[in-house]
Amino acid sequence: MPEELRPRLLDARSLRGLAHPLRMQLLVALRREGPATASQLAQKLGESSGATSYHLRQLAAHGFIEDAPEHGKGRERWWQAVDQGLMFDETLLRDPDPEVRGAAAVFRYEVANVHTQEIATWLGTQHELPEEWDSASDLSDFSGRLTPEMARELIQKMHELIESYRPLPEDTPGARTVRIHTHVFPSSRTL
């Protein structure tokens, strides 16, 4: 995988710097919509520019974002995302430090919230998309019985399949950015 597409692996330190709902929203906005100022992000997210400025500085201190000087004019400070993806290290869930485990929980809940918001937005706006996307969108769920080893194999195969579609050029006619969510987790119910 090219270096620019390789996701960043979260460790305990970086997780502590990211595991805050507003910081995660800011990082998502910068990744998806490109460079922006604290004021622009505050307006978009319904926050104060003071809050967004503070949390942007925290994201920068932990290496998630950096200055985008080519966009700055005068005193305006523009920010941009450093990478385009994150990988969560599952060992953080069992870290001996309760602060790290708490940050891991916040991070995972916020990822789930982003997924829920994206699905809700799609459901509310799908009528605005060209009709050809009706049969090219999916909202499915499946249940099955797997061992942990089988679940890991399934996850790896899904990720490999998704990665095989990445080389599509930006100028491909009819192409749009699509969001692909995968969730594999043990159910609290037995089949």
Side-chain angles (χ1 to χ4, degrees):
M1 182 183 302
E3 190 64 37
E4 67 274 6
L5 296 178
R6 195 164 289 144
R8 175 181 177 169
L9 180 63
L10 292 174
D11 58 19
R13 182 184 177 283
S14 61
L15 180 63
R16 282 191 193 109
L18 179 62
H20 183 281
L22 182 53
R23 289 182 200 164
M24 290 183 67
Q25 290 173 7
L26 291 166
L27 185 57
V28 166
L30 290 171
R31 281 189 176 145
R32 300 229 179 108
E33 298 169 27
T37 66
S39 297
Q40 291 169 333
L41 291 164
Q43 185 175 15
K44 175 180 177 35
L45 300 174
E47 296 287 339
S48 72
S49 59
T52 56
S53 291
Y54 170 78
H55 289 292
L56 287 166
R57 288 191 305 275
Q58 293 302 307
L59 287 170
H62 287 87
F64 291 103
I65 65 171
E66 63 189 6
D67 284 315
E70 64 278 3
H71 289 87
K73 296 179 184 128
R75 295 185 58 200
E76 273 187 336
R77 187 172 190 182
W78 285 70
W79 297 97
Q80 63 189 4
V82 171
D83 51 57
Q84 287 300 311
L86 299 173
M87 285 181 58
F88 182 78
D89 180 354
E90 289 81 12
T91 62
L92 297 170
L93 295 169
R94 300 199 189 277
D95 193 277
D97 184 344
E99 210 175 292
V100 172
R101 291 192 311 271
V106 168
F107 173 78
R108 289 169 52 123
Y109 277 105
E110 287 307 311
V111 168
N113 284 335
V114 168
H115 290 187
T116 301
Q117 291 168 1
E118 288 177 344
I119 292 169
T121 299
W122 166 63
L123 290 172
T125 60
Q126 66 185 9
H127 65 279
E128 299 170 6
L129 293 170
E131 192 175 318
E132 62 194 359
W133 281 98
D134 290 349
S135 62
S137 301
D138 182 48
L139 187 61
S140 299
D141 66 274
F142 305 90
S143 293
R145 293 185 60 80
L146 302 175
T147 64
E149 294 79 21
M150 293 168 72
R152 283 190 289 275
E153 180 183 345
L154 174 62
I155 293 165
Q156 180 181 350
K157 286 181 177 181
M158 288 189 304
H159 288 199
E160 288 170 358
L161 177 62
I162 292 165
E163 286 299 323
S164 74
Y165 283 86
R166 280 201 189 261
L168 191 64
E170 287 288 323
D171 59 354
T172 303
R176 293 185 70 120
T177 299
V178 299
R179 295 290 296 144
I180 303 164
H181 299 173
T182 66
H183 307 113
V184 176
F185 54 91
S187 175
S188 57
R189 295 179 29 211
T190 57
L191 296 177

